Structures are given as C-alpha cells and as structure tokens.
Amino acid sequence: MRVLFIGDVVGGPGRRGLKATMPGLRERHRPDLVIVNGENSAGGMGITEKTAQAIFDAGADAITSGNHVYRHREAYDFLDRDERVVRPANYPHANPGRGHTVVEAAGMRVGLINLSGAVGLTVARSPFHEVDAILERIEADCTIVDFHAEVTSEKVAMGWHLDGRVAAVFGTHTHVPTADARVLPLGTAYISDVGMTGARTSVLGVKPEQALERLITQMPVKFETAEEDVWVMGAVVEVNERGRADSIEQVMVPAPIA
Ligand SMILES: [Fe+2]
Ligand SMILES: [Fe+2]
C-alpha cells in the first residue's frame, strides 16, 4: 500500500495548489491513501468545514491538524462529526474532535494518529505516553502518525520511540522540509518535517514583508497569506503487508497555477 502524506496546506493558495497538483501526484505515485495536514487551510490559520471539504475534493482521504485547529469556532461541530479528520490526541479529552481514527485503504485498516509535541507547544499529556496508550487499543493493520511538533530533537526521538511499531511518522508544523527521510532499522518510515503546501515566497506561508516588519519592529502586524510560488510538499511511503515501511520518498513539486 502506498501512502501519500502532504504537509500543512496554507490558505487559498495552498488549497488551489493542492487541487492543481493532485492529478499529477496520483499519476506519478499511485497512492492508495492520501493524508493531508489542514491546520492552516482556512485563511492561513485553522480549518473550517468548507476548507476541509476543499481538501477532500482535491483527493484527500483523511485530514490531520495541529495547534491552529481550534482557531475557527464554527469547525468544532464538524470536528466532532467527521471521522476522517483528527486533531492532536494529547489535547484535553473533552476538546472537540478525535485524536485518532481508522480508515480503509488497499484492504488494510489504517490507523491514523495525530500528536502534538510538548516542547514549545501546549498539550495536556505527553505525546510519548499518549501514543503508547493509543497503540494498545487501536484496531488496525498498520498505523500512520502525524507528529505536529516544534523541535527536531523531540521529533527524532518520537521516530525512535515508534520504530517497528508504526508504518510511518511524518513531522509537520514547522513548514520547512527536512532532508532526513529514511526508513528506521525496525521498519518505520520517518521524516522530521514534510514541509508545507503553500507559497514559497513567504515566511512559513505569511507575506515576507509582514513577517519581517513584525520581527524588526517588534510591533503587532496583521499577517496575510502569501500567494507567490506555490509548492506542494510531502512524502510517499510504501507500506508492506506486515504494516512496516519498505521505502520513503520526499515529494516537493511546484503547483501548476499562476
Ligand atoms: Fe502549520
Ligand atoms: Fe502548527
């Protein structure tokens, strides 16, 4: 089974880039399952039912998220309702949405777990304890993890923690792709960050001049989503019948939009 995982879709440019690029990615990689991180899909921050639907319409089978997931109140009911969408599992249990789900692909039950790093981000429980607890009870033939975390040390550690226990650990959140994609010794595909789906003429998806003004003046500046030079970034993992990874290949392609 082939899994295509795509990094944080940022705003309208990210959504349009994803839609325009998916046919080519499908043809090239023939994925059985497409998972997309949508935490920045609504105006560059957060997700709504409408932006999630646009991601599904573009070809996603499931959506993961992260620290911006609760930015739009209107999404709470949708997060409770739609079993194809996950938010970090180590948030307070009573929060809207679910932290893990199971989807079908190529005759396999694929577990999907979303976790937030604890370093530099706010969580209710340790991501390491949380994932152990979920893996004990999840009923799946293989499992994919989106680890939405700030620092590479915590992400790399999670890779080793889960090696041989899940098919893949995809890092998200920093929006900058890392050059460390590999299959760990016990068969878990790992990458610290797959990158983002959005404008590269930006600072993590925000117009560069606005991000710079805030950093240089240290004054509040309204951020807008950048639109120039949209790329789609992610990774493709080949999962074998034992639920382990045979390969991981990084994906970085310019979107065929103006
Ligand atoms: Fe993000
Ligand atoms: Fe994030």
Side-chain angles (χ1 to χ4, degrees):
M1 177 189 60
R2 269 168 188 275
V3 179
L4 169 61
F5 184 96
I6 291 173
D8 308 26
V9 171
V10 183
R15 298 197 306 273
R16 288 190 289 281
L18 179 70
K19 185 180 175 199
T21 307
M22 273 307 294
L25 289 177
R26 266 196 195 288
E27 199 173 307
R28 185 180 158 158
H29 297 289
R30 308 254 165 229
D32 300 293
L33 178 64
V34 178
I35 303 167
V36 178
N37 186 301
E39 73 141 3
N40 305 104
S41 59
M45 264 193 203
I47 186 167
T48 63
E49 183 164 11
K50 207 173 125 227
T51 63
Q53 195 53 54
I55 291 172
F56 285 132
D57 290 347
D61 300 296
I63 296 176
T64 59
S65 61
N67 54 308
H68 294 304
V69 67
Y70 298 130
R71 172 71 54 155
H72 303 286
R73 195 168 275 274
E74 66 197 87
Y76 296 1
D77 174 56
F78 163 69
L79 290 167
D80 279 333
R81 231 181 319 117
D82 199 320
E83 293 185 2
R84 301 169 297 172
V85 184
V86 287
R87 50 82 169 163
N90 50 334
Y91 283 180
H93 289 301
N95 282 17
R98 73 212 77 234
H100 65 93
T101 193
V102 177
V103 292
E104 290 267 335
M108 286 179 114
R109 292 169 304 169
V110 184
L112 177 61
I113 304 174
N114 200 175
L115 294 167
S116 169
V119 181
L121 293 166
T122 305
V123 295
R125 295 173 302 283
S126 151
F128 298 92
H129 295 167
E130 190 72 19
V131 75
D132 289 348
I134 294 170
L135 287 175
E136 264 181 39
R137 64 180 193 269
I138 199 166
E139 290 182 13
D141 303 310
C142 69
T143 304
I144 307 288
V145 173
D146 174 345
F147 192 30
H148 198 78
E150 194 79 65
V151 298
T152 47
S153 53
E154 192 182 21
K155 294 188 192 195
V156 171
M158 183 61 82
W160 290 113
H161 184 62
L162 294 176
D163 186 22
R165 302 162 69 199
V166 305
V169 177
F170 297 107
T172 59
H173 177 63
T174 60
H175 291 199
V176 177
T178 55
D180 61 344
R182 62 171 162 158
V183 177
L184 296 171
L186 301 180
T188 295
Y190 175 83
I191 181 167
S192 294
D193 205 299
V194 293
M196 69 168 174
T197 292
R200 282 184 106 183
T201 305
S202 77
V203 175
L204 314 188
V206 169
K207 289 185 176 171
E209 62 275 17
Q210 295 171 351
L212 274 169
E213 189 185 341
R214 176 129 109 195
L215 288 165
I216 290 167
T217 66
Q218 299 182 358
M219 294 295 285
V221 176
K222 188 175 181 295
F223 281 173
E224 291 168 318
T225 303
E227 298 186 350
E228 265 176 61
D229 194 21
V230 174
W231 282 56
V232 174
M233 302 179 192
V236 177
V237 169
E238 180 84 48
V239 181
N240 60 37
E241 59 291 342
R242 287 172 288 113
R244 300 294 168 262
D246 285 336
S247 65
I248 178 168
E249 182 190 340
Q250 198 160 9
V251 171
M252 284 181 67
V253 288
I257 55 174

